[in-house]
């Protein structure tokens, strides 16, 4: 399988190159030359296969011969070794819970898969790979956890001091081993600027093999297809589901669209958005206009210019009518998100996180107009990660899940630096040379 750049100026590359590079040199996103078709036999027998077997079948054509089959199978087994339950919430709506991984959010799947692939590719490298990430919270913890203990890869995470939640900071700073946390006395934008500068620094790149673990990386994006197949395995109805995906950068829904293009039976997709509604407006007007991101209580979806929009265009060969035929979109404001958490808890005793609540409400809206259908939404994070909002909405404190207990007892380990590029460079030059 070869990958082309959506800007069409860079050369085609295989899975290995696409994973190591992350973004194409022409700043486009990598996209597979062909979307594989899954056999009817595979889809019919999905209920009898294990999670690892399904993951392997789905991802194998994308990886091609870049990783040997038995190694790829092991990577799949490791990536999905937790639960993805489909839980009925109301008569016509279920929740596909994607928060049973180590950092309690769906980004664990992509991060775990990508980290093992990079670890595998680093074996042919004379230098260790150094992954450099700037985070405002969630992505960093999923990436750090995914890479923990992966041989041949060192991770350096930059986060803005005092601007991530307590749980997030502990998730970032207590891992040790090959994970180093830099606490930057500045903003997330400072962190991002410093990381970008590092990638263009010749001197540094001669010495270190630097790469990013950006969410647009194919090795983070494509494995997100897995859980759509796990949902199908648990789907109790004859008619295919309507699937609602809380969306920000649109990587997750775009993976679902790939799964559908490969043969996964899906009735319809709902792109569930908060006030960052560029895609909702695109479906109304056929015009894509990005915006300045607006801050909301579902903050992992606060994206004003979703990178993966170009991948949606590729999937549908730029045909607006086709996109509109398979996807609907709604945009929900914070007050409605909070009211949904309150109401669903009262009516159904189910606790939504703010992102899942947007997914739930948008699915409800779609089903109000299509009452003979049933569907599920992706519950993308554990409510405890957004406990302030959720506790206020349901009126009582949440239980801290067992996976979080031990975190509270660990010691934070970070190196504090000023928001200046030279401080980052000095750190990398002195700590990361082998
Ligand atoms: C990242 C994230 C999203 C948005 O996913 P995209 O792939 O960027 O659309 C939704 N919910 C949570 C909890 C997230 O962390």
């Amino acid at each position: 399988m070869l990958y082309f750049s959506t800007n069409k100026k860079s050369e085609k590359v295989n899975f290995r190159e696409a994973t190591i590079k992350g973004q194409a040199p022409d700043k486009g996103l990598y996209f597979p030359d062909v979307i594989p078709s899954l056999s009817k036999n595979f889809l019919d027998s999905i209920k009898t296969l294990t999670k690892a077997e399904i993951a392997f079948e789905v991802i194998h054509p994308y990886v091609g011969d870049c990783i040997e089959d038995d190694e790829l199978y092991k990577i799949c087994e490791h990536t999905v070794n937790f639960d993805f339950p489909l839980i009925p919430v109301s008569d016509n709506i279920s929740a596909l819970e994607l928060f049973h991984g180590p950092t309690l959010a769906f980004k664990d799947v992509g991060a775990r898969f990508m980290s093992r692939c990079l670890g595998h590719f680093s074996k042919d490298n004379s230098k260790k790979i150094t992954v450099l990430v700037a985070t405002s919270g969630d992505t960093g913890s999923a990436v750090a956890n995914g890479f923990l203990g992966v041989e041949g890869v060192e991770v350096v995470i930059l986060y803005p001091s005092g601007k991530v939640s307590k749980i997030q900071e502990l998730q970032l700073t207590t891992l040790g081993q090959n994970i180093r946390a830099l606490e930057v006395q500045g903003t997330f934008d400072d962190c991002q600027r410093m990381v970008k500068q590092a990638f263009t620094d010749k001197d540094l790149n001669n010495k270190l093999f630097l790469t990013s673990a950006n969410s647009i990386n194919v090795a983070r994006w494509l494995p997100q297809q897995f859980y759509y197949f796990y949902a199908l395995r648990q789907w109790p109805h004859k008619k295919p589901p309507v699937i609602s995906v809380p969306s920000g950068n649109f990587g997750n829904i775009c993976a679902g669209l790939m799964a559908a293009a490969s043969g996964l039976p899906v009735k319809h997709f709902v792109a569930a958005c908060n006030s960052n509604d560029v895609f909702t407006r695109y479906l109304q007007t056929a015009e894509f206009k990005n915006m300045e991101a607006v801050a909301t209580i579902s903050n992992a979806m606060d994206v004003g210019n979703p990178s993966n929009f170009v991948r949606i265009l590729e999937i549908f060969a730029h045909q607006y009518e086709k996109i509109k035929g398979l996807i609907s979109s709604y945009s929900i404001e914070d007050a409605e998100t909070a009211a949904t958490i309150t109401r669903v808890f009262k009516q159904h005793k189910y606790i939504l996180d703010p992102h899942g609540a947007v997914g739930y409400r948008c699915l409800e809206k779609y089903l109000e107009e299509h009452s003979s259908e049933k569907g599920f939404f992706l519950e993308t994070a554990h409510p405890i990660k957004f406990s302030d909002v959720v506790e206020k909405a349901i009126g009582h404190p949440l239980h801290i899940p067992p996976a979080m207990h031990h975190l509270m007892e660990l010691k934070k380990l970070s190196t504090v630096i000023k928001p200046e590029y030279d401080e980052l460079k000095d750190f990398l030059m002195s700590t990361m040379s082998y």
Side-chain angles (χ1 to χ4, degrees):
M1 173 79 77
L2 288 178
Y3 294 79
F4 65 88
S5 163
T6 51
N7 283 349
K8 310 272 161 71
K9 294 203 180 74
S10 299
E11 277 181 39
K12 291 186 185 180
V13 296
N14 65 11
F15 178 77
R16 182 182 196 278
E17 288 302 307
T19 299
I20 291 175
K21 285 204 169 78
Q23 187 158 32
D26 65 7
K27 304 270 187 273
L29 272 64
Y30 283 120
F31 193 89
D33 242 350
V34 281
I35 301 179
S37 291
L38 290 159
S39 70
K40 185 166 181 310
N41 192 15
F42 166 73
L43 291 165
D44 287 347
S45 60
I46 205 155
K47 290 203 160 81
T48 67
L49 302 175
T50 65
K51 282 181 298 191
E53 285 166 346
I54 294 171
F56 179 84
E57 280 299 317
V58 170
I59 207 72
H60 185 253
Y62 290 100
V63 175
D65 55 9
C66 291
I67 301 176
E68 305 76 57
D69 286 3
D70 52 343
E71 178 65 22
L72 181 62
Y73 185 80
K74 279 192 209 141
I75 292 175
C76 289
E77 227 175 4
H78 168 84
T79 301
V80 297
N81 71 356
F82 47 87
D83 293 334
F84 301 83
L86 186 68
I87 309 285
V89 177
S90 70
D91 286 346
N92 54 359
I93 297 182
S94 302
L96 181 67
E97 293 185 350
L98 302 179
F99 56 72
H100 297 275
T103 73
L104 310 183
F106 81 89
K107 291 193 175 68
D108 280 328
V109 172
R112 284 158 80 81
F113 186 81
M114 179 188 169
S115 63
R116 303 286 140 165
C117 291
L118 260 192
H120 179 76
F121 297 143
S122 80
K123 287 178 191 150
D124 313 329
N125 262 348
S126 54
K127 288 182 194 164
K128 274 198 185 189
I129 293 180
T130 302
V131 175
L132 205 52
V133 222
T135 186
S136 55
D138 255 11
T139 302
S141 51
V143 168
N145 237 286
F147 279 97
L148 182 64
V150 174
E151 259 180 62
V153 184
E154 297 286 324
V155 177
V156 178
I157 300 184
L158 285 76
Y159 73 96
S161 181
K163 296 193 175 64
V164 302
S165 77
K166 170 107 178 118
I167 286 185
Q168 285 174 334
E169 182 167 43
L170 288 170
Q171 283 180 328
L172 293 172
T173 57
T174 56
L175 292 164
Q177 297 184 50
N178 57 331
I179 314 294
R180 289 175 178 78
L182 290 180
E183 183 175 350
V184 178
Q185 294 170 316
T187 62
F188 171 63
D189 289 335
D190 290 321
C191 299
Q192 217 165 16
R193 171 180 48 78
M194 291 157 76
V195 165
K196 279 194 181 147
Q197 198 171 342
F199 285 115
T200 58
D201 183 329
K202 283 227 171 72
D203 198 22
L204 187 66
N205 285 276
N206 280 334
K207 196 141 180 230
L208 302 178
F209 193 103
L210 285 183
T211 186
S212 78
N214 201 301
S215 70
I216 59 166
N217 194 300
V218 293
R220 269 186 68 186
W221 170 53
L222 292 168
Q224 300 182 88
Q225 293 177 83
F226 299 165
Y227 34 72
Y228 292 91
F229 291 91
Y230 302 157
L232 174 68
R233 201 163 157 248
Q234 302 172 74
W235 184 244
H237 310 289
K238 277 221 165 62
K239 265 188 170 175
V242 176
I243 306 179
S244 174
V245 188
S247 296
N249 214 14
F250 279 70
N252 203 355
I253 192 168
C254 205
L257 294 167
M258 293 293 275
S262 293
L264 180 83
V266 179
K267 174 74 190 177
H268 199 73
F269 282 94
V270 174
C273 300
N274 58 25
S275 300
N276 296 279
D277 62 348
V278 281
F279 189 77
T280 314
R281 280 188 288 113
Y282 165 74
L283 288 187
Q284 287 161 358
T285 61
E287 227 187 310
F288 183 82
K289 273 212 237 124
N290 56 15
M291 61 190 269
E292 195 69 38
V294 181
T296 74
I297 55 172
S298 49
N299 57 27
M301 291 152 55
D302 295 348
V303 180
N305 189 9
S307 324
N308 286 290
F309 179 70
V310 290
R311 282 186 171 139
I312 296 185
L313 292 178
E314 288 300 337
I315 296 174
F316 293 93
H318 294 257
Q319 295 172 60
Y320 171 74
E321 292 302 327
K322 286 211 169 137
I323 298 176
K324 222 174 135 87
L326 189 61
I327 317 174
S328 296
S329 182
Y330 305 92
S331 151
I332 300 295
E333 295 195 350
D334 278 355
E336 198 170 0
T337 307
T340 302
I341 300 176
T342 308
R343 177 170 56 88
V344 170
F345 178 64
K346 278 205 185 121
Q347 284 179 349
H348 307 294
K349 292 282 160 272
Y350 189 86
I351 302 179
L352 295 163
D353 98 291
H355 305 80
V358 174
Y360 183 94
R361 182 65 193 120
C362 292
L363 179 55
E364 240 179 7
K365 283 187 181 248
Y366 181 83
L367 295 177
E368 279 160 16
E369 295 158 24
H370 303 83
S371 55
S372 64
E373 308 296 343
K374 294 183 193 307
F376 64 85
F377 66 99
L378 308 194
E379 183 36 295
T380 48
H382 193 292
I384 196 76
K385 297 194 90 169
F386 304 91
S387 53
D388 296 357
V389 174
V390 176
E391 289 176 351
K392 204 168 139 210
I394 65 172
H396 69 77
L398 294 170
H399 293 290
I400 296 187
M404 291 283 129
H405 284 200
H406 79 287
L407 203 58
M408 301 300 174
E409 281 137 40
L410 297 177
K411 202 169 150 23
K412 166 178 155 184
L413 271 180
S414 69
T415 304
V416 179
I417 63 169
K418 293 202 182 74
E420 283 159 21
Y421 176 66
D422 284 345
E423 295 226 355
L424 172 63
K425 183 169 180 175
D426 286 348
F427 176 85
L428 293 170
M429 285 296 218
S430 58
T431 332
M432 306 314 257
S433 9
Y434 312 102

